[in-house]
Amino acid sequence: MVSMASELRPVIITGMSGGGLSSAARVFEDKGYFVSQNLPPQLIIELMDLAAEKSSPVDKLAVVTDVRARIFKGSLMDVIDKAHERGYNPFVLFLEARDDVLIKRFDSVRRTHPLQDDNPLHVGITRERAELARVRQAADVIIDSSNLSIHDLRRAIEASVGDLDSTKQHVTIESFGFKHGSPRDADLVFDVRFLPNPYWIEELRDFRGIDAPVSDYVLSRPGADEFVDGVVNLLSSMMAGYKHEGKDFVTVGIGCTGGHHRSVAVSEEIGRRLNERGDVGVSVMHRDLNRN
């Protein structure tokens, strides 16, 4: 039996087939993790125990598992529950994408879905969503890769995960454009389209919210400062409750029309003010900054 004092925090990477699991595995490999892929459920706990031994050369462990492991006895929820029982605090990262995006990805590599059988591809995707529903609900962080390039996905994973060795909770502030769809991986979503749009000011149009001319303009508009203060105070009041419920990672979406100006400037300012408080880890990412 592993001691409750075990410092190992194993990472479980899972989610939809085609959602970006392989890309996530590479991110953790680059961060110095020992990464094992496609282990049967009953072997995942054994690997955690081996890594937790004092003589183990592994101090950071990540396991990638998907719906293909269903052919073995046990389930991923069983693994998560047993890991907690044995004194671990597993971090569960769930990768997903919209159905239409998953279909395009499978078509591009001419692969069949593991749950497709003799049915159309969308049937396999629907079955997989149903099978993984409980795991998704138990995940610490959910990342929707639908609108992300490989490089954007890497940045999203790094931003959302933060420093797993830290005892602080972690907040990711993600700007986005509503015209590209709301982020399905956000715990909270705020709309800053009530602020004037710099796009309609010719000398500001080609700048972005990370640039001083746009940032200064957006944050000086009536209501902007009060909004930022309100979000920071709201998050600060909620984090203790999240902690009590075992939620250490929170993603906040800040949206405007295109994700270029208002949401970016406001996200940067919220991140700055949260950092000043020093009681949570903070990452800021801009999903649609470079999209047309």
Side-chain angles (χ1 to χ4, degrees), residues 3 11 14 29 69 79 83 100 102 135 173 185 187 190 222 241 275:
S3 167
V11 175
T14 189
E29 284 178 345
V79 170
D100 62 304
L102 293 175
V135 177
I173 310 296
D185 47 14
D187 299 291
F190 296 96
N275 261 322

Side-chain angles (χ1 to χ4, degrees), residues 8 32-35 47-62:
L8 179 71
Y33 280 73
F34 177 86
V35 179
L47 181 59
M48 290 181 185
D49 288 345
L50 285 172
E53 291 180 357
K54 290 184 178 180
S55 60
S56 171
V58 174
D59 58 358
K60 295 195 292 186
L61 173 68

Side-chain angles (χ1 to χ4, degrees), residues 159-206:
S160 298
V161 168
D163 184 3
L164 289 180
D165 297 327
S166 173
T167 57
K168 288 183 179 180
Q169 290 173 281
H170 189 85
V171 178
T172 299
I173 310 296
E174 178 182 6
S175 72
F176 69 94
F178 278 102
K179 75 175 187 179
H180 302 299
S182 301
R184 298 191 301 173
D185 47 14
D187 299 291
L188 302 167
V189 173
F190 296 96
D191 185 350
V192 295
R193 288 176 294 185
F194 69 92
L195 296 171
N197 192 349
Y199 178 84
W200 301 113
I201 300 176
E202 187 173 352
E203 58 266 31
L204 296 179
R205 181 172 301 169
D206 292 334

Side-chain angles (χ1 to χ4, degrees), residues 8-291:
L8 179 71
R9 186 170 196 188
V11 175
I12 298 174
I13 303 169
T14 189
M16 298 295 292
S17 302
L21 276 65
S22 295
S23 296
R26 287 192 289 272
V27 171
F28 280 91
E29 284 178 345
D30 291 344
K31 291 169 73 71
Y33 280 73
F34 177 86
V35 179
S36 179
Q37 302 199 41
N38 299 324
L39 279 182
Q42 59 264 43
L43 295 184
I44 294 177
I45 292 294
E46 292 184 25
L47 181 59
M48 290 181 185
D49 288 345
L50 285 172
E53 291 180 357
K54 290 184 178 180
S55 60
S56 171
V58 174
D59 58 358
K60 295 195 292 186
L61 173 68
V63 178
V64 184
T65 184
D66 59 24
V67 75
R68 288 173 292 182
R70 77 194 188 286
I71 63 175
F72 296 98
K73 183 180 178 181
S75 70
L76 186 51
M77 281 307 305
D78 293 334
V79 170
I80 295 171
D81 291 340
K82 187 170 290 187
H84 282 290
E85 291 172 4
R86 294 173 80 85
Y88 300 117
N89 181 23
F91 172 83
V92 182
L93 173 63
F94 191 97
L95 283 296
E96 66 178 4
R98 298 191 312 268
D99 285 8
D100 62 304
V101 174
L102 293 175
I103 289 171
K104 287 181 180 178
R105 290 176 182 173
F106 273 98
D107 285 345
S108 68
V109 295
R110 298 185 179 181
R111 287 174 49 204
T112 58
H113 191 280
L115 298 186
Q116 183 175 347
D117 297 328
D118 296 325
N119 299 292
L121 177 56
H122 70 85
V123 173
I125 293 172
T126 300
R127 288 175 175 171
E128 185 175 31
R129 286 202 191 280
E131 287 203 15
L132 294 177
R134 287 188 61 217
V135 177
R136 185 185 189 280
Q137 189 174 15
D140 293 283
V141 169
I142 300 169
I143 295 180
D144 183 351
S145 66
S146 300
N147 296 319
L148 304 178
S149 68
I150 293 294
H151 301 296
D152 289 337
L153 177 57
R154 169 178 283 272
R155 284 189 285 268
I157 293 170
E158 292 173 343
S160 298
V161 168
D163 184 3
L164 289 180
D165 297 327
S166 173
T167 57
K168 288 183 179 180
Q169 290 173 281
H170 189 85
V171 178
T172 299
I173 310 296
E174 178 182 6
S175 72
F176 69 94
F178 278 102
K179 75 175 187 179
H180 302 299
S182 301
R184 298 191 301 173
D185 47 14
D187 299 291
L188 302 167
V189 173
F190 296 96
D191 185 350
V192 295
R193 288 176 294 185
F194 69 92
L195 296 171
N197 192 349
Y199 178 84
W200 301 113
I201 300 176
E202 187 173 352
E203 58 266 31
L204 296 179
R205 181 172 301 169
D206 292 334
F207 288 102
R208 295 291 184 260
I210 56 175
D211 300 316
V214 169
S215 178
D216 292 345
Y217 173 82
V218 170
L219 297 176
S220 67
R221 297 306 92 188
D225 189 64
E226 293 84 353
F227 174 81
V228 171
D229 268 345
V231 172
V232 171
N233 290 333
L234 178 65
L235 283 171
S236 296
S237 67
M238 294 174 70
M239 294 309 289
Y242 276 136
K243 185 71 173 179
H244 182 266
E245 295 301 315
K247 187 173 180 61
D248 289 333
F249 296 83
V250 178
T251 300
V252 180
I254 307 292
C256 62
T257 303
H260 294 162
H261 300 103
R262 293 167 290 181
S263 62
V264 174
V266 170
S267 294
E268 289 284 337
E269 182 64 11
I270 291 172
R272 186 186 69 80
R273 295 192 195 183
L274 283 173
N275 261 322
E276 284 182 346
R277 295 200 172 201
D279 54 349
V280 295
V282 182
S283 298
V284 179
M285 62 173 293
H286 305 299
R287 191 191 74 179
D288 300 324
L289 183 66
N290 298 313
R291 294 186 64 170

